[in-house]
Amino acid sequence: MSQNSSSARATVQPIKAHPVRHPGRWIAATVVLALAALFVISAVNNENYGWDVYRQYLFDTRIATAALHTLALTVLSMLIGVILGAILAIMRMSPNPVLRAVAWVYLWIFRGTPVYVQLVFWGLMGSLYQTLNLGFTEVDLQGLLSNMFLLAVIGLALNEAAYMAEIVRTGIQAVPVGQIEASQALGMSWWLTMRRTVLPQAMKIIVPPTGNEVISMLKTTSLVVAVPYSLELYGRSMDIANALFDPVPMLLVAATWYLAVTSVLMVGQHYLEKYYDRGITRELTPKQLAALTDAEGTAGGNVTVVSERGTR
């Protein structure tokens, strides 16, 4: 019996697995590529796109300066929005009912009304308030409220703060309560607990949507013409288009600059996410690792292989 079993094991041939073919995927990919190629060829040969005007103004100094204004609007608005959003998130989680109510009303107003309407309102702020009466003196607001760049930043930042508040609150609440209690048991203050325990873990959840908000803010700056502020990328492009009576190539110029800046921001977001993912590790058995590799093509980083017994 033992000789037969040993000879049977000796004659067993390894399984030759063949990958499953997916002809439908290749057909769909071919159709999509063909349609994309047809569109590109048609657009290149269409004179109505005004490619000569596009090439002439793509690197125009006025457009480049407007792109810098767009970046300034994006950075300043996001900085104020993130700081104010963090404050609102803490207010939403506060045991004080007044603070919770104020934060809820703020989010209700700024998330419930279109950002374009809010920017129009900020543009009209100068006609609503000329002075600020402090009781013992009056402050002239005309100079402040006539600065359209400042009003655009304030309008964008206040709207962004409402969304950042929910992102920050979600990230903080995702941290297990037990870790907060353990930090407090060690004698750590509330701020030290937030800085050393809560925020480093919450950032893994906060960073990805915040990166998306930055990219979204870059495109939302095109709405500040409602303030009105027209020195940013879209407004400046339309000013040139109105002078040329040819809007299509200038829209393509603006779109190209938006795509270029957005691509740079997406690369930065990718590396920032990798930075905050350094502490995340996954323990997988050899079978789980093989299944993950088969499904995704790669196991990813920060994977630790453990034995089947170690997972029980």
Side-chain angles (χ1 to χ4, degrees), residues 200-216:
Q201 299 179 70
M203 290 299 288
K204 299 180 181 68
I205 299 174
I206 294 174
V207 167
T210 301
N212 294 333
E213 288 296 312
V214 173
I215 295 172
S216 178

Side-chain angles (χ1 to χ4, degrees), residues 113-125:
T113 55
V115 62
Y116 189 87
V117 174
Q118 297 173 26
L119 291 172
V120 171
F121 182 83
W122 281 104
L124 298 173
M125 192 65 68

Side-chain angles (χ1 to χ4, degrees), residues 16-72:
K16 296 181 179 180
H18 297 280
V20 179
R21 301 184 183 277
H22 301 280
R25 296 181 183 178
W26 290 105
I27 294 174
T30 303
V31 172
V32 170
L33 288 176
L35 291 175
L38 288 174
F39 174 77
V40 171
I41 294 172
S42 174
V44 169
N45 295 326
N46 192 338
E47 296 181 356
N48 294 325
Y49 279 95
W51 295 112
D52 54 339
V53 178
Y54 170 82
R55 290 188 293 270
Q56 179 182 353
Y57 286 94
L58 181 59
F59 297 107
D60 190 277
T61 55
R62 291 170 292 179
I63 298 297
T65 303
L68 293 177
H69 288 190
T70 296
L71 284 174

Side-chain angles (χ1 to χ4, degrees), residues 161-179:
Y163 294 92
M164 284 305 306
E166 292 300 283
I167 293 174
V168 174
R169 184 173 67 91
T170 302
I172 292 176
Q173 290 181 338
V175 179
V177 179
Q179 299 195 28

Side-chain angles (χ1 to χ4, degrees), residues 13-298:
Q13 298 294 327
I15 299 175
K16 296 181 179 180
H18 297 280
V20 179
R21 301 184 183 277
H22 301 280
R25 296 181 183 178
W26 290 105
I27 294 174
T30 303
V31 172
V32 170
L33 288 176
L35 291 175
L38 288 174
F39 174 77
V40 171
I41 294 172
S42 174
V44 169
N45 295 326
N46 192 338
E47 296 181 356
N48 294 325
Y49 279 95
W51 295 112
D52 54 339
V53 178
Y54 170 82
R55 290 188 293 270
Q56 179 182 353
Y57 286 94
L58 181 59
F59 297 107
D60 190 277
T61 55
R62 291 170 292 179
I63 298 297
T65 303
L68 293 177
H69 288 190
T70 296
L71 284 174
L73 284 170
T74 303
V75 172
L76 293 175
S77 300
M78 282 304 303
L79 285 176
I80 299 173
V82 168
I83 294 172
L84 184 56
I87 295 173
L88 288 169
I90 295 173
M91 291 172 62
R92 281 293 307 274
M93 296 182 294
S94 172
N96 189 319
V98 176
L99 295 180
R100 288 202 311 269
V102 170
W104 185 88
V105 171
Y106 182 98
L107 268 61
W108 174 61
I109 293 175
F110 282 92
R111 294 179 67 191
T113 55
V115 62
Y116 189 87
V117 174
Q118 297 173 26
L119 291 172
V120 171
F121 182 83
W122 281 104
L124 298 173
M125 192 65 68
S127 63
L128 297 174
Y129 298 97
Q130 289 77 39
T131 59
L132 178 62
N133 191 347
L134 300 178
F136 58 90
T137 185
E138 285 190 353
V139 179
D140 185 13
L141 299 178
Q142 289 300 306
L144 184 66
L145 297 180
S146 62
N147 188 332
M148 296 296 109
F149 179 84
L150 178 62
L151 293 179
V153 169
I154 293 175
L156 293 173
L158 293 180
N159 178 265
E160 182 60 33
Y163 294 92
M164 284 305 306
E166 292 300 283
I167 293 174
V168 174
R169 184 173 67 91
T170 302
I172 292 176
Q173 290 181 338
V175 179
V177 179
Q179 299 195 28
I180 300 176
E181 295 174 347
S183 300
Q184 293 174 345
L186 293 173
M188 298 172 64
S189 63
W190 179 86
W191 170 245
L192 191 59
T193 300
M194 293 292 293
R195 185 164 59 90
R196 292 288 185 85
T197 304
V198 177
L199 288 179
Q201 299 179 70
M203 290 299 288
K204 299 180 181 68
I205 299 174
I206 294 174
V207 167
T210 301
N212 294 333
E213 288 296 312
V214 173
I215 295 172
S216 178
M217 176 62 74
L218 176 74
K219 295 175 288 185
T220 306
T221 56
S222 62
L223 299 178
V224 297
V225 292
V227 172
Y229 180 78
S230 60
L231 296 181
E232 45 74 45
L233 186 56
Y234 173 76
R236 203 72 183 95
S237 299
M238 288 301 96
D239 287 343
I240 299 175
N242 293 333
L244 297 174
F245 298 101
D246 197 1
V248 174
M250 296 311 301
L251 284 174
L252 292 174
V253 168
T256 301
W257 276 90
Y258 281 122
L259 284 172
V261 178
T262 300
S263 301
V264 174
L265 293 177
M266 291 174 66
V267 172
Q269 178 186 2
H270 169 72
Y271 284 104
L272 191 61
E273 290 179 10
K274 286 186 64 176
Y275 174 81
Y276 283 104
D277 283 343
R278 292 181 307 170
I280 300 177
T281 58
R282 292 181 294 176
E283 293 184 350
L284 302 177
T285 65
K287 291 182 179 179
Q288 292 172 333
L289 180 61
L292 180 63
T293 305
D294 291 339
E296 300 183 1
T298 178

